[in-house]
Amino acid sequence: MTGDTQSRERWPVLVTRRLPQPALDAIDERCDMELWEGPPEAIPRDELLKRIGGKAGAVTLLTEKVDAEFFDAAGPQLRIVANYAVGFDNIDVEESTRRGVMATNTPDVLTDTTADLAWALLMAAARRIGEGDRLLRGRKGWIWGPEMMLGQDVHHKVLGIVGFGRIGQAVARRASGFGMQVVYFDLFRPPPEVERHVGAEYRVFDDLLREADFISIHVALTPETRHLFGTGQFRAMKPTAVLVNSSRGPVIDEAALAEALRSGEIFAAGLDVFEKEPEVHPALLELENATVIPHLGSATVDTRIAMGTLAAENLIAALEGRKPTTLLNPEAWERTRGG
Ligand code: DGY
């Protein structure tokens, strides 16, 4: 330990799950780190509330609810909650701002990785990859046939993007290689040059539902987007349509989706996220045309390191009195500056 390191202030922080090592090293160098390592893997609520007490900062995951009770348990010295995710529906940002606590997320570093995963799900659902894999593993015997396991063409079809932020646009850009037409819906329309650059045309939601062969969801979870997709929306979609969700599970009414898949109202779905995660609606697990994977959107070695590094940088910046780069509530930062 250098003299410099010895003399510098060290802040007590809580890290709620083992992060990639470079992130832990960075935090450990500047902070007195309490790391939850389980079991169980996800920190139980009572342990979270106990361990956050007296901390100056925390790195949290989407599995932890950061709300008024959390802030009460933490105490007034808490300065920063650095979320290890781009989505922050687990954080009550308004409450965080009210308490003068900075909240950060990890955008950008996972955009392309999540877009790749959305495409993997789209292809898998359209071409029945999971079902084929299960067939062979079942060792029941099979023979090539003209009508065996027919899927849907992806190339030259219409891709509908719901939620045209960073990840939605990255998914849209990938469609040009497949010669697809891209349409999108978002409450916030970007400037026309963004539409031109990405090669996507705006549609009102109902038109997109009717027109798209593939729909990929990339909205944040808010009260307005909860159950954005339900019985009515599935009815409006083509019977050959494929729905992909790598955003947040509650955007889809899972029971209604299971029924739409069962009755053939839509062709298939590829799901990375679930309404009551980690549970998956049992009816979906019975359906061959539901491709389900366990929230792997950002799960690559490089991207998880990048997310951890960004979360650690945000944490340390706030504790050192610098503005974190991906701050969700600049008002809380202004407050620390006496603004
Ligand atoms: C996120 O970042 O919000 C993902 O869901 C996990 O990477």
Side-chain angles (χ1 to χ4, degrees):
M1 197 186 266
T2 64
D4 180 44
T5 311
Q6 265 167 358
S7 60
R8 284 196 294 182
E9 186 182 354
R10 294 176 66 78
W11 299 278
V13 301
L14 176 66
V15 177
T16 61
R17 195 88 61 92
R18 174 159 279 282
L19 304 175
Q21 198 58 44
L24 291 180
D25 290 345
I27 296 169
D28 202 33
E29 200 188 316
R30 294 295 284 118
C31 305
D32 287 329
M33 176 174 65
E34 181 171 347
L35 172 64
W36 174 264
E37 295 207 76
E41 201 171 338
I43 187 168
R45 182 73 179 171
D46 57 337
E47 291 290 345
L48 176 69
L49 296 180
K50 191 163 81 197
R51 287 162 196 260
I52 193 60
K55 298 293 192 291
V59 177
T60 53
L61 272 58
L62 48 86
T63 40
E64 283 93 50
K65 216 170 170 41
V66 177
D67 54 7
E69 187 185 38
F70 174 95
F71 292 116
D72 285 342
Q77 76 299 321
L78 184 70
R79 303 230 284 270
I80 164 98
V81 173
N83 214 36
Y84 178 82
V86 64
F88 52 89
D89 46 282
N90 60 310
I91 300 182
D92 184 340
V93 178
E94 221 171 277
E95 186 62 25
S96 186
T97 306
R98 218 173 60 70
R99 308 278 183 137
V101 177
M102 285 175 263
T104 62
N105 66 339
T106 59
D108 300 319
V109 294
L110 48 63
T111 299
D112 284 311
T113 298
T114 307
D116 289 350
L117 190 279
W119 268 93
L121 272 177
L122 186 155
M123 298 294 289
R127 300 301 304 273
R128 306 172 67 161
I129 302 296
E131 191 181 344
D133 185 74
R134 284 188 294 277
L135 177 77
L136 297 199
R137 286 173 198 278
R139 293 181 169 85
K140 287 204 188 99
W142 63 282
I143 189 85
W144 187 92
E147 293 198 298
M148 181 198 173
M149 285 188 61
L150 304 185
Q152 299 293 337
D153 273 330
V154 174
H155 63 89
H156 301 101
K157 293 288 181 74
V158 178
L159 172 63
I161 304 284
V162 175
F164 202 54
R166 282 173 285 239
I167 298 173
Q169 290 179 27
V171 171
R173 280 197 299 273
R174 283 157 173 72
S176 65
F178 290 85
M180 296 176 96
Q181 183 195 351
V182 182
V183 295
Y184 80 91
F185 167 76
D186 199 306
L187 288 178
F188 307 98
R189 269 187 85 169
E193 53 275 20
V194 172
E195 289 184 2
R196 267 198 306 276
H197 179 69
V198 177
E201 290 167 44
Y202 175 80
R203 292 288 187 276
V204 297
F205 187 48
D206 288 351
D207 288 349
L208 181 145
L209 292 176
R210 274 190 290 273
E211 231 179 281
D213 298 297
F214 297 88
I215 295 180
S216 192
I217 307 175
H218 302 286
V219 294
L221 177 62
T222 64
E224 292 72 36
T225 61
R226 189 173 289 273
H227 284 194
L228 181 63
F229 282 81
T231 306
Q233 287 65 42
F234 302 131
R235 271 196 196 132
M237 288 166 66
K238 297 181 181 181
T240 50
V242 173
L243 180 67
V244 173
N245 188 15
S246 55
S247 62
R248 285 292 182 266
V251 173
I252 293 180
D253 176 342
E254 259 174 26
L257 174 62
E259 181 49 27
L261 289 169
R262 193 201 56 76
S263 65
E265 214 144 50
I266 68 171
F267 181 75
L271 306 172
D272 185 39
V273 288
F274 303 94
E275 204 175 336
K276 298 198 174 96
E277 225 169 281
E279 279 166 45
V280 180
H281 194 292
L284 289 173
L285 296 175
E286 299 301 320
L287 292 163
E288 287 290 6
N289 56 349
T291 301
V292 290
I293 56 171
H295 206 145
L296 298 177
S298 63
T300 66
V301 175
D302 290 345
T303 292
R304 287 290 166 83
I305 290 175
M307 288 166 67
T309 303
L310 180 53
E313 279 169 8
N314 281 330
L315 177 82
I316 293 163
L319 295 173
E320 286 182 343
R322 292 178 290 111
K323 189 175 178 182
T325 47
T326 56
L327 187 58
L328 294 166
N329 54 353
E331 308 87 325
W333 160 255
E334 297 306 332
R335 187 98 67 85
T336 68
R337 317 291 298 162

